[in-house]
Amino acid sequence: MTKNRHDKLGLTNEDVLEMYKTMLLARKIDERMWLLNRAGKIPFVISCQGQEAAQVGASFALDRNKDFVAPYYRDMGIVLTFGMTTKELMLSGFAKAEDPNSGGRQMPGHFGQKKNRILTGSSPVTTQLPHAVGVALAAKMEQKDFVSFVTLGEGSSNQGDFHEGLNFAGVHKLPVITMVENNKYAISVPVDKQLACESVSDRATGYGMPGFTVNGNDPLAIYDAVKNARERAVSGEGPTLIEAITYRLTAHSSDDDDRLYRESGEVEEARKKDSIITFAAYLKDLGILTDEIEEKINTEIRDTVNEATDYAENAPYAEPESALKFVYEE
Amino acid sequence: MTKNRHDKLGLTNEDVLEMYKTMLLARKIDERMWLLNRAGKIPFVISCQGQEAAQVGASFALDRNKDFVAPYYRDMGIVLTFGMTTKELMLSGFAKAEDPNSGGRQMPGHFGQKKNRILTGSSPVTTQLPHAVGVALAAKMEQKDFVSFVTLGEGSSNQGDFHEGLNFAGVHKLPVITMVENNKYAISVPVDKQLACESVSDRATGYGMPGFTVNGNDPLAIYDAVKNARERAVSGEGPTLIEAITYRLTAHSSDDDDRLYRESGEVEEARKKDSIITFAAYLKDLGILTDEIEEKINTEIRDTVNEATDYAENAPYAEPESALKFVYEE
Amino acid sequence: MPIMSYIQAITTALKEEMQRDNKVFVLGEDVGRKGGVFRATEGLYDEFGEYRVLDTPLAESAIAGVGIGAAMYGMRPVAEMQFADFIMPAVNQIISEAAKIRYRSNNDWNAPITIRAPYGGGVHGALYHSQSVESVFANQPGLKIVMPSTPYDVKGLLKASIRDNDPVLFFEHKRAYRLLKGEVPDDDYVLPIGKADIKRNGTDITVITYGLCIHFAMQAAEKLTEEGIDVHILDLRTVYPLDQEAIIEAAKKTGKVLLITEDNKEGSIIGEVSAIIAENCLFDLDAPVQRLAGPDIPSMPYAPTTEKFFMVNPDKVEKAMRELAEY
Amino acid sequence: MPIMSYIQAITTALKEEMQRDNKVFVLGEDVGRKGGVFRATEGLYDEFGEYRVLDTPLAESAIAGVGIGAAMYGMRPVAEMQFADFIMPAVNQIISEAAKIRYRSNNDWNAPITIRAPYGGGVHGALYHSQSVESVFANQPGLKIVMPSTPYDVKGLLKASIRDNDPVLFFEHKRAYRLLKGEVPDDDYVLPIGKADIKRNGTDITVITYGLCIHFAMQAAEKLTEEGIDVHILDLRTVYPLDQEAIIEAAKKTGKVLLITEDNKEGSIIGEVSAIIAENCLFDLDAPVQRLAGPDIPSMPYAPTTEKFFMVNPDKVEKAMRELAEY
Ligand SMILES: Cc1ncc(C[n+]2csc(CCOP(=O)(O)OP(=O)(O)O)c2C)c(N)n1
Ligand SMILES: Cc1ncc(C[n+]2csc(CCOP(=O)(O)OP(=O)(O)O)c2C)c(N)n1
Ligand SMILES: [Mg+2]
Ligand SMILES: [Mg+2]
């Protein structure tokens, strides 16, 4: 019999249903983007698939009205939770002028939306980590009680900016939470050729902060870890490093062919632990996700994604000359 | 009663006396450089004082006929052990054409001498670490049994290159030994504002290698640690991180005034543990360093330093136009 | 002679150099089993094994720095930066280290490393997969920067770069990879680094450019022949240090010079080319030295409208040529 | 009006801006208790406390990156790079991040960070404490690069940089720190970024330069007056983006132009200046556009003979001016 695990985390049935809905929405938007890419309608996709539980579980543990997030390119689950809409994501996929992330200037997955405190991101990996530390430094200087939350891949945790940023945060005990989404690959390079350590969280001691490795397919475990980290942070105890163990269910991006470097059996195996399935099962076992609710959710999501796709597809591109704008303050 | 600790390390009395002589020689050259600087004869000094034991102890544990070293600016003890002469160091202090490190192109402390396998160094800190890893990669590729040895300050261990280099070494189990000379300060910044961790060696786990913190005033303890690390390295077990706890007895450099940021009492305290005194006491207690030998050593060193100073002072500078040479292969 | 694509010429050069000298090895992200995200190192992993085609951790400063160390030892590393845009974390190792190792050691040490990176736009790469980055490095004595425009030049110059005893940055236009094809001899030839090359002889106007823009200029020149405009085209090939003699000669030849780069205009490589001309050929000029370049915005955007707005293309080149000819 | 040294003008500007706006804070290596290795932040730690004058760990990419994050939040960080030579590890944060934040977010975010760094030679600093690094950044739209030449300009331009809503690199000539003194008003004035300034009006030849070389040029110009040569001197002040109008006007004024930089010649900022002139003033020129610069070697060596050989100085400037005047 499935045990209720969310009650003691302070999460209501509505909360966990909402979590599930957000995870599923992220998955469905992503799947649609692949279809659009394969149909030649959008040039590029980079996926959240397999990492939604970690993203959504973590975001629910944050204060969505004051915390800042510095997501990386797979974090559709985070930006959705922080208020970006499906339509906005589709506008970004189609690179349309109305895209709030960049007005179609950047590829999809390069998130940013000031009104929702989503820091603008770039392609070079790990540069966002020091930014999140900087926001946390501001929180400390201004004596505000928000935290900043930053994510990256396990491969990206080998960049110098990871080291420099986390040490800075550790020395000054800044309210920043770092979550490494370890999906086992950095494009084609498996984790044992990326990291000399067993777990990314082993690195936390070197920065004077606690480190945890958590099952990234379990949104509740991640929620719990991030919730505790947030409490530590706002009470002045400093930063935390969390490693979420996930798996990348798709190729690296629409430009990649993962058959060149991994066995399909491995992917099949991982699909069995897919959080979209396992978390649905949990909710069903507890009677929270009934067939009726599920159908309603599916319909809702389908409609939302369809509408967003239509809207974005028909929306205009930025004018050519608009490329000249906003190099500097105008 | 003092116990003989070097026997069981496989060191003869001659070996330890040689170690002491090298430490003392480094100290005396350094002291002379300060005098020359204060007399306006050389523009800049950066000191080894307080770190000689770590430098010499480590170098003696290496194979001086095949290992490669990538020293940092304080490592006079290392380059002396690896074959650089007093005269050569003085030529570098005076920036004379004959300086083998750079022909007077670089400041003193920027070591390099190919025939002794001392990699050429620069001023930006920590860049030498990946170089040493590269040499170790070559050793592995070419199946040679040498190791590379690299040093840096504790402040410098916060640079991205530390992280990127050590992780690379860890992933490929390369024969490289890294020794951080923790002298408690990075110019004016004390170690607790530099490092979030307790010990630099705490970082080793994050790179899948063993880490040790060793008393850097004890050349034998350092010798032991580096010897073991070397054995690990040549037998294919991979890299090691060693932290040598030392103290910077002088100001950061001849341009620094350390009274601005540290108490003189602290320096006095550290002087009591000065390895030049404590290691001499060890050797005296064991009857290895007799008064007679001591006098002989002192005279020898004095003469060597005097001669080197005279020679270097009178040696010519590089011709102005020589500045145009060796930008590319000629 | 076999016909090859630009990227096949890269792979061929790498393979031949690795066969010729076992000190040559490749390192970078995804260069091993996957054969590189553009497949430039395809087949090398199978032929030469893991250590000579080394998948590194995701850390460019280490790729450069470890490569430099190996080069100082005596190896001949060919490091790949996955995109030129991602060379930025390695700038310290390249500028402070690679460029200065021979000089600072007074010729005692040297660092024969080649760093390859795909640059350039027009492939929906958006801000960070489209940049031209050569000007960041084009003021650093000790470095050489090679940017070939044809498969033939690619093979000869990449081989020369690998054999060079100093560090070379080798930038490959990613749109040229499969777009450009040409004859590439089977022999083991090398081309001189530091020498520009006349890609077309002409008498009316001189175009000086490099990389993919050579291709655009050649296309435009063909069209203008019909209008009786005869274009001289100089391919810089090495953009640092520049081949001053060839530039001066080409400028003097027609007295009307158009410089082209895909980079943003201000501070690009062609500013230096113009300065060389202004210093040496002033009285041979019949028209101001013209420059055609990308606009001064951070990089080309993703949306096709704005990407097209940014990119140099044959039409823009033709227009600029015609205007100069009519000057 | 009080007389101040160049470095006192820095400290004064910092202090006044910190008093005026408590979002302004300083971060860098040794800027706190020690007051900076050159003492530019002297007294600020005592007045504003540890967090507004923050000693950071020894990690330039973090100094820039954490600063950028704080700036995005709404703070006004003034980051110090201890020497311009040590900005290299931060290039990725500066070029990929700071420069592109406004653009890539379509004006949603911005990063009002100022990055100060002492550059330049003539202080026995050898290869790595003497470099001019501006050209590394002078092709990056989104950045502004300010290089003042007088205490008066320092104060007005540093204040303007701190208040600017975009990232500014502010390079200070380290030999100017104590060498140059001048009148600096007590008032809270700002000077416009992006505008060059005529430092001397003249009719015979035009000298365009910046930083410490302005000082050399002024000295040389005084001497040449005695020979009846009247020199016009334009101080670029902002070297990126350049003040094209002022450059064109100054070049046209005399038709004889000498460009000076302390940087290596090839690929330096003055190449772009020359290109602007070659593009816009060709028919106004009476002589080729001359350049006086450091030789193309990695940086100036330590030994006094070779350091002197490298450095631009009043004699070299005077000689170049005279030759141009006599052309
Ligand atoms: C500095 C930099 N180098 C290289 C790349 C190219 N690149 C994009 S994603 C990626 C792999 C990232 O792996 P990981 O950090 O594990 O994240 P994941 O994609 O697996 O989520 C690489 C090499 C980049 N974006 N930035
Ligand atoms: C990249 C870089 N940044 C700044 C400096 C200036 N600098 C020279 S030594 C030093 C402190 C080094 O401290 P640590 O690593 O502890 O070595 P120590 O001098 O104490 O031996 C600094 C900041 C530098 N040389 N390189
Ligand atoms: Mg990954
Ligand atoms: Mg130290």
Side-chain angles (χ1 to χ4, degrees):
Chain A
M1 215 202 69
T2 301
K3 222 186 91 200
N4 181 316
R5 297 190 296 121
H6 60 268
D7 264 7
K8 71 163 196 297
L9 298 174
L11 288 167
T12 64
N13 290 353
E14 288 68 47
D15 290 336
V16 288
L17 201 56
E18 195 57 36
M19 273 169 127
Y20 173 70
K21 267 166 73 175
T22 313
M23 286 162 55
L24 189 65
L25 177 59
R27 174 68 57 94
K28 292 297 173 192
I29 298 172
D30 202 281
E31 287 175 351
R32 175 63 57 88
M33 294 234 188
W34 280 89
L35 288 177
L36 291 166
N37 173 264
R38 291 325 187 205
K41 293 195 171 178
I42 67 174
F44 185 76
V45 185
I46 192 153
S47 274
C48 59
Q49 295 188 41
Q51 299 173 218
E52 297 93 339
Q55 296 164 3
V56 173
S59 310
F60 269 72
L62 298 172
D63 186 328
R64 287 174 261 167
N65 294 311
K66 45 166 101 130
D67 293 343
F68 283 68
V69 292
Y72 90 115
Y73 44 83
R74 299 200 189 280
D75 284 323
M76 201 182 279
I78 294 179
V79 299
L80 279 172
T81 312
F82 265 73
M84 198 174 292
T85 66
T86 307
K87 193 167 104 178
E88 290 171 336
L89 286 164
M90 278 296 171
L91 283 161
S92 154
F94 280 96
K96 295 301 173 71
E98 220 185 308
D99 156 34
N101 297 281
S102 75
R105 289 176 166 191
Q106 295 212 79
M107 292 175 153
H110 291 61
F111 303 113
Q113 193 172 32
K114 195 168 191 176
K115 73 168 187 197
N116 286 319
R117 297 169 318 292
I118 302 166
L119 298 187
T120 174
S122 61
S123 307
V125 299
T126 325
T127 49
Q128 72 276 18
L129 196 151
H131 300 174
V133 175
V135 170
L137 175 64
K140 179 160 186 170
M141 290 176 68
E142 306 255 291
Q143 295 174 298
K144 297 277 171 64
D145 66 347
F146 65 80
V147 309
S148 68
F149 175 69
V150 60
T151 53
L152 63 155
E154 82 292 346
S156 303
S157 81
N158 295 316
Q159 286 280 340
D161 272 359
F162 178 85
H163 183 68
E164 297 193 8
L166 288 187
N167 183 58
F168 195 116
V171 166
H172 292 289
K173 290 199 170 304
L174 301 180
V176 54
I177 303 165
T178 302
M179 181 169 85
V180 174
E181 302 182 28
N182 181 349
N183 64 6
K184 311 285 172 49
Y185 286 89
I187 309 187
S188 72
V189 182
V191 65
D192 62 301
K193 295 281 172 203
Q194 278 292 344
L195 295 167
C197 48
E198 299 263 308
S199 303
V200 178
S201 61
D202 290 345
R203 294 184 168 166
T205 327
Y207 310 121
M209 62 180 79
F212 304 98
T213 295
V214 184
N215 176 4
N217 283 322
D218 180 356
L220 299 178
I222 297 283
Y223 175 90
D224 193 23
V226 175
K227 195 86 189 166
N228 289 332
R230 192 179 188 284
E231 270 158 32
R232 267 180 53 83
V234 291
S235 62
E237 292 167 73
T240 303
L241 175 63
I242 295 167
E243 173 184 24
I245 303 293
T246 67
Y247 190 82
R248 196 190 76 203
L249 294 173
T250 64
H252 171 73
S253 75
S254 52
D255 289 342
D256 178 41
D257 178 0
D258 59 331
R259 289 166 305 181
L260 286 169
Y261 54 82
R262 69 177 177 182
E263 304 292 329
S264 62
E266 187 185 301
V267 184
E268 291 317 305
E269 232 10 75
R271 285 205 180 277
K272 293 183 192 151
K273 298 187 224 149
D274 182 353
S275 68
I276 300 291
I277 297 168
T278 55
F279 197 52
Y282 169 84
L283 297 176
K284 280 179 186 169
D285 287 356
L286 293 177
I288 297 169
L289 183 67
T290 61
D291 286 353
E292 196 188 350
I293 296 180
E294 191 170 26
E295 208 189 294
K296 198 171 143 258
I297 291 178
N298 285 335
T299 315
E300 226 176 84
I301 289 181
R302 196 181 320 114
D303 290 351
T304 311
V305 175
N306 283 341
E307 249 174 63
T309 307
D310 286 349
Y311 183 90
E313 190 166 2
N314 293 312
Y317 285 121
E319 292 298 319
E321 295 73 23
S322 75
L324 298 174
K325 287 178 76 89
F326 309 133
V327 178
Y328 301 101
E329 188 175 29
E330 285 175 11
Chain B
M1 215 200 71
T2 301
K3 219 183 96 201
N4 181 316
R5 297 191 296 119
H6 59 269
D7 264 6
K8 72 164 195 297
L9 298 174
L11 287 167
T12 64
N13 289 356
E14 287 69 45
D15 290 337
V16 286
L17 200 59
E18 194 58 35
M19 273 169 127
Y20 173 70
K21 266 165 74 174
T22 314
M23 286 163 54
L24 189 66
L25 177 60
R27 175 68 56 93
K28 292 300 172 191
I29 299 172
D30 202 280
E31 285 176 354
R32 175 65 56 89
M33 294 230 187
W34 278 89
L35 289 176
L36 291 166
N37 174 263
R38 292 321 188 208
K41 294 197 171 179
I42 67 175
F44 185 75
V45 186
I46 192 151
S47 274
C48 58
Q49 293 187 39
Q51 301 174 214
E52 297 92 340
Q55 295 165 4
V56 173
S59 310
F60 269 71
L62 298 172
D63 185 328
R64 288 175 259 168
N65 293 311
K66 45 165 100 130
D67 293 343
F68 283 69
V69 293
Y72 90 117
Y73 44 83
R74 300 201 188 282
D75 284 324
M76 201 183 279
I78 294 178
V79 299
L80 279 173
T81 312
F82 264 73
M84 198 175 291
T85 67
T86 307
K87 193 166 103 177
E88 290 171 336
L89 286 164
M90 276 299 169
L91 283 162
S92 155
F94 278 97
K96 294 302 173 70
E98 221 185 310
D99 156 34
N101 296 280
S102 76
R105 289 176 168 191
Q106 294 212 80
M107 293 173 151
H110 291 61
F111 303 113
Q113 193 171 31
K114 195 167 188 176
K115 72 169 188 199
N116 286 319
R117 294 168 321 290
I118 301 167
L119 297 186
T120 174
S122 61
S123 307
V125 299
T126 325
T127 49
Q128 73 277 18
L129 197 151
H131 300 174
V133 175
V135 171
L137 176 63
K140 179 159 185 169
M141 289 175 69
E142 305 255 293
Q143 294 174 297
K144 296 276 170 67
D145 66 347
F146 66 80
V147 309
S148 68
F149 175 68
V150 60
T151 53
L152 63 156
E154 82 291 347
S156 303
S157 81
N158 295 316
Q159 286 280 340
D161 272 358
F162 178 84
H163 183 67
E164 297 193 7
L166 289 188
N167 184 59
F168 196 115
V171 166
H172 292 290
K173 291 197 170 304
L174 301 181
V176 54
I177 303 165
T178 302
M179 181 170 84
V180 173
E181 301 182 29
N182 182 349
N183 63 7
K184 310 288 174 43
Y185 286 89
I187 309 188
S188 71
V189 182
V191 64
D192 63 301
K193 295 282 174 204
Q194 277 291 346
L195 295 166
C197 47
E198 298 263 309
S199 303
V200 178
S201 61
D202 290 346
R203 293 184 168 166
T205 327
Y207 310 120
M209 63 180 77
F212 304 99
T213 294
V214 184
N215 176 4
N217 283 323
D218 180 356
L220 300 177
I222 297 283
Y223 176 89
D224 193 24
V226 175
K227 194 86 189 166
N228 290 332
R230 191 178 189 284
E231 268 157 33
R232 265 180 54 80
V234 291
S235 62
E237 291 167 73
T240 303
L241 175 62
I242 294 167
E243 175 184 23
I245 303 293
T246 68
Y247 191 81
R248 196 190 74 204
L249 294 173
T250 63
H252 171 72
S253 74
S254 51
D255 289 343
D256 180 40
D257 178 0
D258 59 332
R259 291 166 304 183
L260 286 169
Y261 55 81
R262 67 176 178 183
E263 303 294 329
S264 61
E266 189 185 299
V267 184
E268 292 317 307
E269 235 5 79
R271 286 206 180 277
K272 293 183 192 153
K273 297 188 223 148
D274 183 353
S275 67
I276 301 291
I277 297 167
T278 55
F279 196 50
Y282 170 81
L283 297 176
K284 282 179 186 168
D285 287 356
L286 293 178
I288 298 170
L289 183 65
T290 61
D291 286 351
E292 193 188 349
I293 296 179
E294 192 170 26
E295 211 189 292
K296 196 170 145 259
I297 291 177
N298 285 336
T299 314
E300 222 175 271
I301 289 181
R302 197 181 319 113
D303 291 350
T304 311
V305 174
N306 283 341
E307 247 174 65
T309 307
D310 286 349
Y311 184 90
E313 191 167 1
N314 293 312
Y317 286 120
E319 291 300 319
E321 296 73 22
S322 75
L324 298 175
K325 287 177 76 86
F326 309 132
V327 178
Y328 300 101
E329 189 177 29
E330 284 174 11
Chain C
M1 248 191 298
I3 301 287
M4 262 185 211
S5 69
Y6 189 99
I7 195 165
Q8 282 169 330
I10 307 269
T11 313
T12 306
L14 289 172
K15 186 173 160 160
E16 289 181 12
E17 289 306 295
M18 291 176 80
Q19 286 167 340
R20 181 178 171 272
D21 178 357
N22 63 19
K23 302 271 180 199
V24 177
F25 72 103
V26 167
L27 76 168
E29 295 154 10
D30 305 291
V31 297
R33 184 156 288 146
K34 186 175 155 85
V37 295
F38 289 100
R39 321 302 308 281
T41 54
E42 196 174 353
L44 302 182
Y45 183 89
D46 289 338
E47 181 168 349
F48 301 102
E50 182 184 347
Y51 274 86
R52 290 188 64 201
V53 193
L54 191 65
D55 275 330
T56 65
L58 176 35
E60 285 77 9
S61 189
I63 294 172
V66 171
I68 290 166
M72 282 201 268
Y73 171 78
M75 307 299 286
R76 301 225 157 236
V78 184
E80 177 177 301
M81 299 285 152
Q82 199 159 84
F83 286 84
D85 316 65
F86 305 142
I87 204 170
M88 298 303 165
V91 164
N92 191 37
Q93 282 290 347
I94 296 170
I95 291 183
S96 304
E97 301 299 318
K100 297 181 174 65
I101 278 173
R102 185 186 292 281
Y103 192 80
R104 77 184 186 213
S105 68
N106 205 25
N107 212 29
D108 195 26
W109 289 94
N110 67 316
I113 185 175
T114 302
I115 301 180
R116 297 177 39 244
Y119 79 99
V123 297
H124 312 302
L127 301 185
Y128 295 99
H129 299 79
S130 302
Q131 290 172 77
S132 297
V133 304
E134 60 275 15
S135 68
V136 171
F137 302 97
N139 176 246
Q140 300 301 333
L143 290 183
K144 298 175 184 175
I145 310 177
V146 174
M147 301 180 78
S149 70
T150 67
Y152 175 84
D153 286 356
V154 160
K155 182 174 162 188
L157 285 167
L158 184 49
K159 280 171 168 267
S161 301
I162 293 171
R163 295 184 202 175
D164 198 284
N165 286 325
D166 289 303
V168 179
L169 303 182
F170 193 90
F171 293 126
E172 305 157 5
H173 201 293
K174 66 176 84 72
R175 209 178 129 204
Y177 272 160
R178 284 161 220 286
L179 179 70
L180 301 189
K181 298 191 171 59
E183 293 194 333
V184 178
D186 276 331
D187 357 332
D188 178 29
Y189 65 97
V190 294
L191 295 172
I193 296 177
K195 291 277 165 237
D197 183 49
I198 298 168
K199 282 286 187 297
R200 191 180 197 285
N201 251 301
T203 50
D204 294 329
I205 63 168
T206 297
V207 171
I208 305 180
T209 181
Y210 57 101
L212 185 63
C213 291
I214 287 287
H215 183 67
F216 299 155
M218 294 293 276
Q219 286 184 305
E222 276 325 301
K223 275 199 164 179
L224 289 179
T225 327
E226 297 158 23
E227 299 174 27
I229 300 170
D230 189 14
V231 184
H232 189 78
I233 300 179
L234 185 72
D235 182 356
L236 291 171
R237 290 206 299 203
T238 295
V239 302
Y240 188 85
L242 286 165
D243 184 349
Q244 303 213 14
E245 247 175 80
I247 291 168
I248 293 167
E249 198 182 310
K252 287 189 175 169
K253 175 137 199 226
T254 70
K256 288 181 169 181
V257 186
L258 171 65
L259 309 175
I260 310 177
T261 182
E262 186 185 312
D263 196 2
N264 316 305
K265 184 173 178 181
E266 183 168 348
S268 67
I269 227 57
I270 60 172
E272 179 65 32
V273 177
S274 180
I276 290 168
I277 296 170
E279 217 164 8
N280 295 285
C281 322
L282 188 78
F283 301 113
D284 302 288
L285 294 179
D286 302 317
V289 183
Q290 300 296 319
R291 289 189 287 170
L292 175 64
D296 285 321
I297 62 178
S299 179
M300 63 194 81
Y302 183 52
T305 44
T306 45
E307 183 186 59
K308 198 169 159 221
F309 175 79
F310 187 106
M311 275 295 285
V312 170
N313 62 33
D315 289 346
K316 292 183 190 175
V317 173
E318 191 189 317
K319 186 161 164 284
M321 282 181 176
R322 188 180 294 108
E323 277 171 18
L324 180 59
E326 287 165 1
Y327 190 93
Chain D
M1 248 191 298
I3 300 287
M4 261 184 210
S5 68
Y6 189 98
I7 196 167
Q8 282 169 332
I10 307 268
T11 313
T12 306
L14 288 173
K15 185 173 161 160
E16 289 181 14
E17 289 304 295
M18 290 177 81
Q19 285 167 341
R20 180 177 171 271
D21 178 356
N22 61 20
K23 301 272 180 198
V24 178
F25 73 103
V26 166
L27 76 168
E29 295 154 10
D30 305 290
V31 296
R33 184 156 289 147
K34 183 174 159 87
V37 295
F38 289 99
R39 322 299 310 278
T41 54
E42 195 174 355
L44 302 183
Y45 183 89
D46 289 339
E47 180 168 349
F48 301 102
E50 181 185 347
Y51 273 87
R52 288 189 66 202
V53 193
L54 192 64
D55 275 329
T56 64
L58 174 37
E60 285 77 9
S61 188
I63 295 172
V66 171
I68 290 166
M72 281 201 268
Y73 172 77
M75 306 301 286
R76 299 222 159 239
V78 184
E80 178 177 300
M81 298 287 151
Q82 198 159 82
F83 286 83
D85 315 66
F86 306 142
I87 203 171
M88 298 305 165
V91 163
N92 191 36
Q93 281 291 347
I94 296 170
I95 291 183
S96 304
E97 300 300 316
K100 296 179 174 65
I101 278 172
R102 186 186 292 279
Y103 192 80
R104 78 184 186 212
S105 68
N106 206 24
N107 212 29
D108 195 25
W109 289 94
N110 66 318
I113 185 174
T114 302
I115 300 180
R116 296 179 39 244
Y119 79 99
V123 297
H124 311 302
L127 301 185
Y128 296 98
H129 299 80
S130 302
Q131 290 172 78
S132 297
V133 304
E134 61 274 17
S135 69
V136 172
F137 302 98
N139 174 247
Q140 300 299 336
L143 291 183
K144 297 174 185 176
I145 310 177
V146 175
M147 301 181 78
S149 69
T150 68
Y152 175 84
D153 286 356
V154 160
K155 182 173 163 188
L157 285 167
L158 184 50
K159 281 170 168 266
S161 301
I162 294 170
R163 293 183 203 177
D164 198 285
N165 287 324
D166 289 303
V168 179
L169 302 183
F170 193 90
F171 293 125
E172 305 158 5
H173 200 292
K174 65 176 82 72
R175 208 177 129 203
Y177 273 159
R178 285 163 217 286
L179 179 73
L180 301 190
K181 297 191 172 58
E183 293 194 332
V184 178
D186 276 331
D187 355 334
D188 178 28
Y189 65 97
V190 293
L191 295 173
I193 297 176
K195 291 277 165 236
D197 184 47
I198 297 168
K199 283 283 186 299
R200 189 179 199 284
N201 251 303
T203 50
D204 295 329
I205 63 168
T206 297
V207 171
I208 306 180
T209 181
Y210 56 100
L212 185 64
C213 290
I214 286 288
H215 183 65
F216 299 154
M218 295 292 278
Q219 286 184 303
E222 275 326 301
K223 276 202 163 177
L224 289 180
T225 326
E226 298 160 20
E227 302 174 26
I229 300 170
D230 190 13
V231 184
H232 189 76
I233 300 179
L234 184 72
D235 182 356
L236 290 170
R237 292 207 297 205
T238 296
V239 302
Y240 188 84
L242 287 165
D243 184 349
Q244 303 215 11
E245 249 175 78
I247 290 167
I248 293 168
E249 201 183 309
K252 287 188 176 170
K253 178 138 199 229
T254 70
K256 287 182 171 183
V257 186
L258 171 65
L259 310 175
I260 310 178
T261 182
E262 185 185 312
D263 196 2
N264 316 306
K265 183 173 181 182
E266 183 168 348
S268 69
I269 226 59
I270 59 171
E272 180 64 30
V273 177
S274 180
I276 291 168
I277 296 170
E279 216 165 8
N280 294 285
C281 321
L282 188 78
F283 301 113
D284 302 288
L285 294 180
D286 302 317
V289 182
Q290 300 296 320
R291 290 189 285 170
L292 175 64
D296 285 321
I297 62 178
S299 179
M300 62 193 82
Y302 183 53
T305 43
T306 45
E307 184 186 58
K308 195 167 162 226
F309 176 79
F310 187 105
M311 274 295 284
V312 170
N313 63 32
D315 289 346
K316 293 183 191 177
V317 173
E318 191 189 320
K319 184 160 168 282
M321 282 180 174
R322 187 179 295 108
E323 277 171 18
L324 181 59
E326 287 167 2
Y327 190 92

